[in-house]
Amino acid sequence: MNRITVYERADFEGLRREFSCDVPDLHELDFGDCIASLKVVGQPWIAYTGPKYEGEAHVFEEGEYAAVGRPRSFSALRLVHHDLAEPQITLYEQPHFQGARKVVTEETNLAYGYFNDRVGSHEVQRGVWLLYQHPGGGGRHCLAWPGERLARYEPQLGLQGRLSHLRPLRPGKPLVSARLLWEQRRVEAEREVLVDEIVGVNETAREQALAASSAREYSTTLWQSFRFSNATSLKAGLSFTLAVEAANVFTVQKGRSESSTRRERVAVQLPAAIPPRAALTVHVLRKEVTLSVPVLLTITQNESVRTELGEYRSISGTNICARYSVKPLPAPGTQQAPAAGDQEAEGTTWASATGDREADGTTWAPTAGDREADGTTWASAAGDREAEGTTWAPTAGDREADGTTWVSAAGDREAEGSRQAPAVGHKEAEGAQRTPAVGHKEAEGAQRTPSVGHKEAEGSQQTPGVGHKEAKGAQRTPAVGHKEAKGTQQAPATGTEEATGTLQAPATE
């Protein structure tokens, strides 16, 4: 991981050499006094102007140097192996660690305080420090190593009691490998969002092509973020990649926004045709999933390895699908109200409730109160109401005008031309054939056997009950006490009075 690449000429050109450990004498490797540019990865390196780490020292921290300060003058290279995390140095005002003292843990310009040019000795607790003679890092400089105790400045450093600026060497960026712990993932939320709806209606008896194109493109989004643990030791500026999947490599950089949003376009295939006499509905849906996954970070720095945990979180809306349903249209002239929520996928059979009956002849059992359009046949429940011209199959025991017997539910009402045996209080449209209950009134021309008190329209055929009054020309068998109009034929009961010209079959004595 820690390496330095040196070049013969500036801008990384000419001959080159790469080293990963200390080089006491570059001349032995035929590369002495020729370095003009270099690249450093990992920990800092120190280049010396003399062999065996003698002469003036120049520090090169991680980075690229297209030109060095002292080109063609370096004879030795040394890698800084020390731990550079949490640096600390203690400065003393007088030699031999006497007088006032000052503890420094970061780069400091002493010219802005009371210790400028007043340092006489120091102790290094942690890290490697660069000491400068002038503010801003100018003038003479020297290195202070961990554990070093320098009792007097003047004879050893040549600073002549003048120290104005100091800073610790920066460690190289750690190498971080990230692994998602998918077995511990957690789905926080999941939902489907409607992004498009396409409707096609085919009222013909032949299959028709869908008006929409066979494929459409839709935009998808993927929002993702990374959260470091609260106890992380990683510093700002660190970056690494997180391979979420083959097509998604998420780059994390600490200190910046550790989140990103990706947008892509996805093609969705649509049904190509609409079946005969059917309505096709296509719903294009985007599935959004909020997911969190623990991430194991393996950090390698200066030949030491440690681990930390982080968390990857994403809101994915990249899955788009088309769901379609095919619903048969009612027969011509009919209106159908299918049960709520019924919908058919193309090529499947619409499985409605057992015994259901459709306008095209299929059988189904509608629920009470369902209403059918003209021409449909169904077994209605109590209180159902039919549209004009509908035919329906009454339940057992009902009685039809043509002799069929059945019992309809109370309160049913038929439109004009329908055939049924209504319950008490029902009113029949003109021309209907029925056997009305007591108090019912029949339209002109209706055939019926009225109950007591019913009144028949002119020309109707019925057997009226007691007290019924028949219109002129009606044919009936009146009950006791009934009175027939002139010319009517009936079999009156005992005591019945006939009009002139009436033919009567008297009751048996």
Side-chain angles (χ1 to χ4, degrees):
M1 173 188 174
N2 299 317
R3 65 180 183 270
I4 184 171
T5 306
V6 293
Y7 297 85
E8 180 188 14
R9 295 197 293 268
D11 298 321
F12 319 113
E13 295 182 355
L15 296 177
R16 51 169 284 178
R17 295 287 189 276
E18 184 175 295
F19 306 103
S20 57
C21 59
D22 295 350
V23 183
D25 193 345
L26 287 169
H27 294 88
E28 295 179 356
L29 302 176
D30 302 318
F31 220 78
D33 297 329
C34 69
I35 297 175
S37 58
L38 57 87
K39 296 179 181 179
V40 174
V41 175
Q43 291 286 97
W45 287 75
I46 301 173
Y48 294 88
T49 56
K52 302 189 185 304
Y53 318 120
E54 299 290 339
E56 191 175 322
H58 294 264
V59 176
F60 297 96
E61 294 168 315
E62 187 170 37
E64 297 183 353
Y65 300 83
V68 297
R70 291 283 300 270
R72 302 181 182 278
S73 62
F74 300 144
S75 298
L77 298 174
R78 183 180 182 182
L79 173 65
V80 177
H81 295 279
H82 303 81
D83 184 6
L84 302 181
E86 300 180 357
Q88 179 178 316
I89 185 173
T90 303
L91 307 177
Y92 295 90
E93 185 179 15
Q94 298 176 11
H96 303 290
F97 321 112
Q98 299 298 313
R101 68 175 189 170
K102 180 178 182 64
V103 177
V104 181
T105 59
E106 59 187 353
E107 183 173 3
T108 303
N109 189 342
L110 298 176
Y112 297 144
Y114 296 111
F115 249 73
N116 186 40
D117 295 337
R118 295 175 57 188
V119 179
S121 58
H122 71 242
E123 288 182 304
V124 179
Q125 285 80 37
R126 295 182 298 273
V128 178
W129 291 79
L130 267 174
L131 309 178
Y132 296 93
Q133 184 180 17
H134 299 312
R140 292 177 59 86
H141 68 275
C142 63
L143 288 168
W145 300 90
E148 179 179 279
R149 288 171 56 88
L150 184 61
R152 293 182 64 87
Y153 264 29
E154 292 183 8
Q156 297 186 36
L157 298 183
L159 295 179
Q160 299 174 357
R162 299 178 61 186
L163 175 63
S164 297
H165 196 100
L166 69 163
R167 72 173 183 87
L169 296 189
R170 293 184 292 269
K173 294 179 182 178
L175 179 63
V176 179
S177 63
R179 182 168 64 90
L180 288 114
L181 305 179
W182 287 109
E183 64 278 6
Q184 301 179 30
R185 68 184 179 275
R186 182 166 55 93
V187 178
E188 298 180 0
E190 189 172 356
R191 66 171 186 157
E192 288 184 341
V193 180
L194 180 65
V195 296
D196 198 2
E197 183 179 53
I198 303 167
V199 178
V201 178
N202 180 9
E203 297 181 348
T204 69
R206 296 182 179 180
E207 186 177 80
Q208 287 187 347
L210 183 65
S213 59
S214 59
R216 286 191 178 185
E217 285 192 350
Y218 297 94
S219 176
T220 67
T221 59
L222 172 62
W223 180 86
Q224 50 192 351
S225 67
F226 187 89
R227 183 173 64 86
F228 292 90
S229 66
N230 295 331
T232 183
S233 61
L234 299 175
K235 305 299 182 182
L238 172 76
S239 64
F240 61 90
T241 58
L242 186 62
V244 181
E245 53 188 10
N248 180 19
V249 178
F250 178 38
T251 300
V252 178
Q253 184 168 358
K254 195 172 191 306
R256 294 187 179 181
S257 174
E258 279 90 49
S259 65
S260 68
T261 301
R262 293 176 52 193
R263 296 186 181 275
E264 296 179 354
R265 298 194 67 81
V266 174
V268 177
Q269 297 296 323
L270 303 177
I274 310 175
R277 300 208 52 77
L280 171 67
T281 303
V282 181
H283 288 158
V284 180
L285 303 171
R286 180 175 63 241
K287 186 176 181 179
E288 290 187 355
V289 179
T290 302
L291 189 71
S292 61
V293 185
V295 180
L296 178 64
L297 301 177
T298 302
I299 305 166
T300 304
Q301 186 175 33
N302 195 22
E303 301 176 358
S304 65
V305 179
R306 66 181 187 277
T307 59
E308 290 184 4
L309 278 178
E311 183 185 62
Y312 169 78
R313 193 166 184 267
S314 70
I315 301 178
S316 172
T318 58
N319 295 327
I320 293 183
C321 65
R323 293 180 184 171
Y324 59 95
S325 61
V326 179
K327 185 171 68 174
L329 296 177
T334 66
Q335 295 180 353
Q336 174 185 344
D342 287 348
Q343 64 178 359
E344 280 307 309
E346 184 178 25
T348 63
T349 303
W350 190 10
S352 56
T354 305
D356 285 3
R357 193 169 186 184
E358 281 298 332
D360 58 358
T362 57
T363 303
W364 61 289
T367 56
D370 285 357
R371 189 171 182 182
E372 279 298 320
D374 183 17
T376 57
T377 304
W378 57 285
S380 66
D384 286 359
R385 190 171 182 183
E386 280 298 315
E388 179 177 354
T390 58
T391 305
W392 57 290
T395 56
D398 291 352
R399 189 172 181 185
E400 279 293 313
D402 58 358
T404 309
T405 303
W406 59 280
V407 181
S408 66
D412 285 0
R413 187 171 182 182
E414 278 300 319
E416 181 178 352
S418 60
R419 296 168 57 187
Q420 63 156 320
V424 178
H426 282 231
K427 187 173 182 181
E428 201 61 40
E430 181 177 352
Q433 298 177 356
R434 56 177 286 195
T435 307
V438 178
H440 280 235
K441 186 174 182 181
E442 202 61 44
E444 182 176 351
Q447 298 178 356
R448 56 176 286 197
T449 306
S451 302
V452 179
H454 279 237
K455 186 174 182 181
E456 203 60 41
E458 182 176 351
S460 61
Q461 297 178 355
Q462 62 159 312
T463 307
V466 179
H468 279 236
K469 187 174 182 181
E470 201 62 41
K472 182 178 180 181
Q475 297 177 356
R476 56 177 287 194
T477 306
V480 178
H482 280 233
K483 187 175 182 180
E484 276 303 326
K486 182 178 181 180
T488 59
Q489 297 178 357
Q490 62 164 311
T494 306
T496 306
E497 185 177 359
E498 279 301 324
T500 303
T502 312
L503 297 176
Q504 175 178 333
T508 306
E509 288 291 336

